[in-house]
Amino acid sequence: MKSYQEENARIIDSWCEEGWEWGEPIPHEVFEKAKAGEWDVLLTPTKPVPHEWFGDLSGRRVLGLASGGGQQIPIFSALGADCTLLDYSEKQCESDRMVARREGYAVEILRADMTKPLPFPDESFDLIFHPVSNCYVEEIAPIFRECYRVLKKGGALLGGYDIGINYLFDEEETTVTNSLPFNPLKDPALYEKSMQYDWGIQFSHTVEEQLRSQLRAGFALADLYEDTNGSGRLHELGVPCFLAVRAVKV
């Protein structure tokens, strides 16, 4: 029987084949603009990450953690970073391979499960870019501990996080139908529903859980901002459902 991680990788591959917005690689023109200094990237659905969260990326070692899809790593490469991508979706990895071939830059791409120990030595990276993805993971604290381990002192983890509100509602986002925490592995009916509607196996995580896990791993929280879904009823009502955080290894 497949693990839930393998099931999620399979489902995300299928989303990419259907044109999932987070699996669509950037066009050549966007790469060229980034080389000229005109760029933005997303950790959450709508708000660009402040450029000051990155600093000068030239020559810096950057890990894209569950950051496949050919959207962010190409930008960082265009800015002169030495990039590594780790993602469990083969289709997401292939999008990054395609952009790297097209634009002629080198990138290390690893198809691997971020719930396992990261395959890198201690203090390997200056920056970790981690877009919304831990909603596909049941236990998130080990991920933050591994991020802390592989970052250099003074390095930053830039993460995007679903804060759980989305999991309360039905598909139309008008009726509360679920309780929290949302965990299909502990609710067979919810598991069946998740598979029926092609949601993947997703998990809610609270702000407390996500920030405390980073603090307990050793990080200092440097900055944050909220974001909405980008579309749908909750977005129209201005409900913030996501959090982006800059955490630093001190």
Side-chain angles (χ1 to χ4, degrees), residues 228-249:
T228 65
N229 287 330
S231 63
R233 180 66 172 153
L234 295 178
H235 170 74
E236 292 168 0
L237 293 172
V239 178
C241 295
F242 294 89
L243 191 68
V245 177
R246 185 177 189 270
V248 178
K249 180 174 180 176

PDB file of all heavy atoms in Angstrom, residues 228-249:
ATOM      1  N   THR A 228      -4.572  35.960   1.349  1.00  0.00           N
ATOM      2  CA  THR A 228      -5.853  35.288   1.119  1.00  0.00           C
ATOM      3  C   THR A 228      -5.676  34.180   0.082  1.00  0.00           C
ATOM      4  O   THR A 228      -4.580  33.956  -0.429  1.00  0.00           O
ATOM      5  CB  THR A 228      -6.901  36.287   0.617  1.00  0.00           C
ATOM      6  OG1 THR A 228      -6.496  36.779  -0.675  1.00  0.00           O
ATOM      7  CG2 THR A 228      -7.055  37.460   1.580  1.00  0.00           C
ATOM      8  N   ASN A 229      -6.800  33.525  -0.248  1.00  0.00           N
ATOM      9  CA  ASN A 229      -6.758  32.433  -1.216  1.00  0.00           C
ATOM     10  C   ASN A 229      -6.538  32.892  -2.653  1.00  0.00           C
ATOM     11  O   ASN A 229      -6.188  32.091  -3.511  1.00  0.00           O
ATOM     12  CB  ASN A 229      -8.064  31.631  -1.168  1.00  0.00           C
ATOM     13  CG  ASN A 229      -8.175  30.774   0.075  1.00  0.00           C
ATOM     14  OD1 ASN A 229      -7.173  30.325   0.625  1.00  0.00           O
ATOM     15  ND2 ASN A 229      -9.393  30.549   0.531  1.00  0.00           N
ATOM     16  N   GLY A 230      -6.816  34.153  -2.924  1.00  0.00           N
ATOM     17  CA  GLY A 230      -6.679  34.648  -4.289  1.00  0.00           C
ATOM     18  C   GLY A 230      -7.944  34.560  -5.101  1.00  0.00           C
ATOM     19  O   GLY A 230      -8.096  35.250  -6.114  1.00  0.00           O
ATOM     20  N   SER A 231      -8.883  33.710  -4.680  1.00  0.00           N
ATOM     21  CA  SER A 231     -10.181  33.582  -5.343  1.00  0.00           C
ATOM     22  C   SER A 231     -11.125  32.897  -4.370  1.00  0.00           C
ATOM     23  O   SER A 231     -10.706  32.364  -3.336  1.00  0.00           O
ATOM     24  CB  SER A 231     -10.062  32.784  -6.648  1.00  0.00           C
ATOM     25  OG  SER A 231      -9.628  31.462  -6.384  1.00  0.00           O
ATOM     26  N   GLY A 232     -12.427  32.892  -4.711  1.00  0.00           N
ATOM     27  CA  GLY A 232     -13.404  32.213  -3.871  1.00  0.00           C
ATOM     28  C   GLY A 232     -14.022  33.123  -2.824  1.00  0.00           C
ATOM     29  O   GLY A 232     -13.645  34.285  -2.656  1.00  0.00           O
ATOM     30  N   ARG A 233     -14.997  32.581  -2.102  1.00  0.00           N
ATOM     31  CA  ARG A 233     -15.779  33.353  -1.138  1.00  0.00           C
ATOM     32  C   ARG A 233     -14.929  33.928  -0.007  1.00  0.00           C
ATOM     33  O   ARG A 233     -15.088  35.102   0.370  1.00  0.00           O
ATOM     34  CB  ARG A 233     -16.882  32.454  -0.559  1.00  0.00           C
ATOM     35  CG  ARG A 233     -17.787  33.116   0.460  1.00  0.00           C
ATOM     36  CD  ARG A 233     -18.611  34.212  -0.148  1.00  0.00           C
ATOM     37  NE  ARG A 233     -19.604  34.706   0.792  1.00  0.00           N
ATOM     38  CZ  ARG A 233     -20.108  35.935   0.766  1.00  0.00           C
ATOM     39  NH1 ARG A 233     -19.735  36.783  -0.164  1.00  0.00           N
ATOM     40  NH2 ARG A 233     -21.017  36.306   1.645  1.00  0.00           N
ATOM     41  N   LEU A 234     -14.030  33.132   0.555  1.00  0.00           N
ATOM     42  CA  LEU A 234     -13.204  33.630   1.654  1.00  0.00           C
ATOM     43  C   LEU A 234     -12.300  34.768   1.188  1.00  0.00           C
ATOM     44  O   LEU A 234     -12.071  35.735   1.913  1.00  0.00           O
ATOM     45  CB  LEU A 234     -12.376  32.492   2.256  1.00  0.00           C
ATOM     46  CG  LEU A 234     -13.164  31.376   2.947  1.00  0.00           C
ATOM     47  CD1 LEU A 234     -12.228  30.293   3.451  1.00  0.00           C
ATOM     48  CD2 LEU A 234     -14.000  31.925   4.089  1.00  0.00           C
ATOM     49  N   HIS A 235     -11.797  34.653  -0.022  1.00  0.00           N
ATOM     50  CA  HIS A 235     -10.982  35.730  -0.591  1.00  0.00           C
ATOM     51  C   HIS A 235     -11.817  36.996  -0.747  1.00  0.00           C
ATOM     52  O   HIS A 235     -11.374  38.101  -0.406  1.00  0.00           O
ATOM     53  CB  HIS A 235     -10.420  35.302  -1.940  1.00  0.00           C
ATOM     54  CG  HIS A 235      -9.763  36.404  -2.710  1.00  0.00           C
ATOM     55  ND1 HIS A 235      -8.535  36.917  -2.366  1.00  0.00           N
ATOM     56  CD2 HIS A 235     -10.181  37.107  -3.800  1.00  0.00           C
ATOM     57  CE1 HIS A 235      -8.214  37.894  -3.212  1.00  0.00           C
ATOM     58  NE2 HIS A 235      -9.197  38.019  -4.090  1.00  0.00           N
ATOM     59  N   GLU A 236     -13.030  36.848  -1.254  1.00  0.00           N
ATOM     60  CA  GLU A 236     -13.905  38.001  -1.447  1.00  0.00           C
ATOM     61  C   GLU A 236     -14.218  38.699  -0.118  1.00  0.00           C
ATOM     62  O   GLU A 236     -14.399  39.919  -0.074  1.00  0.00           O
ATOM     63  CB  GLU A 236     -15.201  37.554  -2.122  1.00  0.00           C
ATOM     64  CG  GLU A 236     -15.000  37.089  -3.565  1.00  0.00           C
ATOM     65  CD  GLU A 236     -16.223  36.375  -4.110  1.00  0.00           C
ATOM     66  OE1 GLU A 236     -17.224  36.247  -3.352  1.00  0.00           O
ATOM     67  OE2 GLU A 236     -16.183  35.952  -5.286  1.00  0.00           O
ATOM     68  N   LEU A 237     -14.272  37.930   0.952  1.00  0.00           N
ATOM     69  CA  LEU A 237     -14.535  38.494   2.278  1.00  0.00           C
ATOM     70  C   LEU A 237     -13.263  38.995   2.962  1.00  0.00           C
ATOM     71  O   LEU A 237     -13.332  39.510   4.087  1.00  0.00           O
ATOM     72  CB  LEU A 237     -15.219  37.443   3.160  1.00  0.00           C
ATOM     73  CG  LEU A 237     -16.637  37.035   2.731  1.00  0.00           C
ATOM     74  CD1 LEU A 237     -17.119  35.852   3.552  1.00  0.00           C
ATOM     75  CD2 LEU A 237     -17.594  38.212   2.863  1.00  0.00           C
ATOM     76  N   GLY A 238     -12.130  38.845   2.304  1.00  0.00           N
ATOM     77  CA  GLY A 238     -10.870  39.325   2.865  1.00  0.00           C
ATOM     78  C   GLY A 238     -10.327  38.486   4.002  1.00  0.00           C
ATOM     79  O   GLY A 238      -9.560  38.996   4.836  1.00  0.00           O
ATOM     80  N   VAL A 239     -10.698  37.205   4.050  1.00  0.00           N
ATOM     81  CA  VAL A 239     -10.258  36.335   5.145  1.00  0.00           C
ATOM     82  C   VAL A 239      -8.837  35.853   4.873  1.00  0.00           C
ATOM     83  O   VAL A 239      -8.590  35.167   3.874  1.00  0.00           O
ATOM     84  CB  VAL A 239     -11.197  35.126   5.301  1.00  0.00           C
ATOM     85  CG1 VAL A 239     -10.696  34.206   6.417  1.00  0.00           C
ATOM     86  CG2 VAL A 239     -12.617  35.585   5.571  1.00  0.00           C
ATOM     87  N   PRO A 240      -7.876  36.178   5.748  1.00  0.00           N
ATOM     88  CA  PRO A 240      -6.504  35.680   5.538  1.00  0.00           C
ATOM     89  C   PRO A 240      -6.407  34.203   5.907  1.00  0.00           C
ATOM     90  O   PRO A 240      -6.686  33.820   7.035  1.00  0.00           O
ATOM     91  CB  PRO A 240      -5.669  36.547   6.483  1.00  0.00           C
ATOM     92  CG  PRO A 240      -6.616  36.968   7.558  1.00  0.00           C
ATOM     93  CD  PRO A 240      -7.982  37.044   6.927  1.00  0.00           C
ATOM     94  N   CYS A 241      -6.026  33.389   4.938  1.00  0.00           N
ATOM     95  CA  CYS A 241      -5.937  31.935   5.135  1.00  0.00           C
ATOM     96  C   CYS A 241      -4.501  31.419   5.078  1.00  0.00           C
ATOM     97  O   CYS A 241      -4.267  30.231   5.283  1.00  0.00           O
ATOM     98  CB  CYS A 241      -6.767  31.213   4.087  1.00  0.00           C
ATOM     99  SG  CYS A 241      -8.544  31.539   4.206  1.00  0.00           S
ATOM    100  N   PHE A 242      -3.556  32.318   4.798  1.00  0.00           N
ATOM    101  CA  PHE A 242      -2.157  31.923   4.663  1.00  0.00           C
ATOM    102  C   PHE A 242      -1.249  32.897   5.412  1.00  0.00           C
ATOM    103  O   PHE A 242      -1.596  34.065   5.625  1.00  0.00           O
ATOM    104  CB  PHE A 242      -1.730  31.900   3.183  1.00  0.00           C
ATOM    105  CG  PHE A 242      -2.434  30.845   2.386  1.00  0.00           C
ATOM    106  CD1 PHE A 242      -3.645  31.118   1.763  1.00  0.00           C
ATOM    107  CD2 PHE A 242      -1.896  29.570   2.257  1.00  0.00           C
ATOM    108  CE1 PHE A 242      -4.307  30.154   1.027  1.00  0.00           C
ATOM    109  CE2 PHE A 242      -2.548  28.599   1.522  1.00  0.00           C
ATOM    110  CZ  PHE A 242      -3.755  28.887   0.907  1.00  0.00           C
ATOM    111  N   LEU A 243      -0.078  32.391   5.761  1.00  0.00           N
ATOM    112  CA  LEU A 243       0.931  33.171   6.448  1.00  0.00           C
ATOM    113  C   LEU A 243       2.273  32.927   5.781  1.00  0.00           C
ATOM    114  O   LEU A 243       2.610  31.792   5.474  1.00  0.00           O
ATOM    115  CB  LEU A 243       1.006  32.746   7.917  1.00  0.00           C
ATOM    116  CG  LEU A 243       1.811  33.610   8.890  1.00  0.00           C
ATOM    117  CD1 LEU A 243       1.139  34.961   9.093  1.00  0.00           C
ATOM    118  CD2 LEU A 243       1.920  32.879  10.237  1.00  0.00           C
ATOM    119  N   ALA A 244       2.996  34.001   5.521  1.00  0.00           N
ATOM    120  CA  ALA A 244       4.374  33.885   5.036  1.00  0.00           C
ATOM    121  C   ALA A 244       5.310  34.369   6.139  1.00  0.00           C
ATOM    122  O   ALA A 244       5.033  35.380   6.795  1.00  0.00           O
ATOM    123  CB  ALA A 244       4.586  34.714   3.770  1.00  0.00           C
ATOM    124  N   VAL A 245       6.383  33.626   6.368  1.00  0.00           N
ATOM    125  CA  VAL A 245       7.267  33.899   7.506  1.00  0.00           C
ATOM    126  C   VAL A 245       8.722  33.892   7.052  1.00  0.00           C
ATOM    127  O   VAL A 245       9.136  33.013   6.296  1.00  0.00           O
ATOM    128  CB  VAL A 245       7.069  32.854   8.616  1.00  0.00           C
ATOM    129  CG1 VAL A 245       8.056  33.092   9.775  1.00  0.00           C
ATOM    130  CG2 VAL A 245       5.639  32.866   9.122  1.00  0.00           C
ATOM    131  N   ARG A 246       9.460  34.865   7.526  1.00  0.00           N
ATOM    132  CA  ARG A 246      10.922  34.856   7.387  1.00  0.00           C
ATOM    133  C   ARG A 246      11.519  34.526   8.742  1.00  0.00           C
ATOM    134  O   ARG A 246      11.341  35.259   9.719  1.00  0.00           O
ATOM    135  CB  ARG A 246      11.464  36.199   6.910  1.00  0.00           C
ATOM    136  CG  ARG A 246      12.970  36.192   6.648  1.00  0.00           C
ATOM    137  CD  ARG A 246      13.449  37.538   6.091  1.00  0.00           C
ATOM    138  NE  ARG A 246      14.827  37.471   5.647  1.00  0.00           N
ATOM    139  CZ  ARG A 246      15.891  37.741   6.419  1.00  0.00           C
ATOM    140  NH1 ARG A 246      15.714  38.108   7.695  1.00  0.00           N
ATOM    141  NH2 ARG A 246      17.109  37.641   5.933  1.00  0.00           N
ATOM    142  N   ALA A 247      12.185  33.357   8.819  1.00  0.00           N
ATOM    143  CA  ALA A 247      12.799  32.890  10.064  1.00  0.00           C
ATOM    144  C   ALA A 247      14.306  32.767   9.841  1.00  0.00           C
ATOM    145  O   ALA A 247      14.747  32.356   8.761  1.00  0.00           O
ATOM    146  CB  ALA A 247      12.215  31.544  10.479  1.00  0.00           C
ATOM    147  N   VAL A 248      15.072  33.106  10.856  1.00  0.00           N
ATOM    148  CA  VAL A 248      16.536  33.179  10.722  1.00  0.00           C
ATOM    149  C   VAL A 248      17.212  32.227  11.710  1.00  0.00           C
ATOM    150  O   VAL A 248      16.802  32.110  12.869  1.00  0.00           O
ATOM    151  CB  VAL A 248      17.028  34.614  10.958  1.00  0.00           C
ATOM    152  CG1 VAL A 248      18.556  34.689  10.876  1.00  0.00           C
ATOM    153  CG2 VAL A 248      16.402  35.570   9.946  1.00  0.00           C
ATOM    154  N   LYS A 249      18.251  31.546  11.227  1.00  0.00           N
ATOM    155  CA  LYS A 249      19.071  30.723  12.114  1.00  0.00           C
ATOM    156  C   LYS A 249      20.091  31.614  12.800  1.00  0.00           C
ATOM    157  O   LYS A 249      20.984  32.161  12.155  1.00  0.00           O
ATOM    158  CB  LYS A 249      19.783  29.621  11.302  1.00  0.00           C
ATOM    159  CG  LYS A 249      20.671  28.711  12.150  1.00  0.00           C
ATOM    160  CD  LYS A 249      21.224  27.557  11.330  1.00  0.00           C
ATOM    161  CE  LYS A 249      22.099  26.651  12.170  1.00  0.00           C
ATOM    162  NZ  LYS A 249      22.563  25.462  11.421  1.00  0.00           N
TER     163      LYS A 249
END
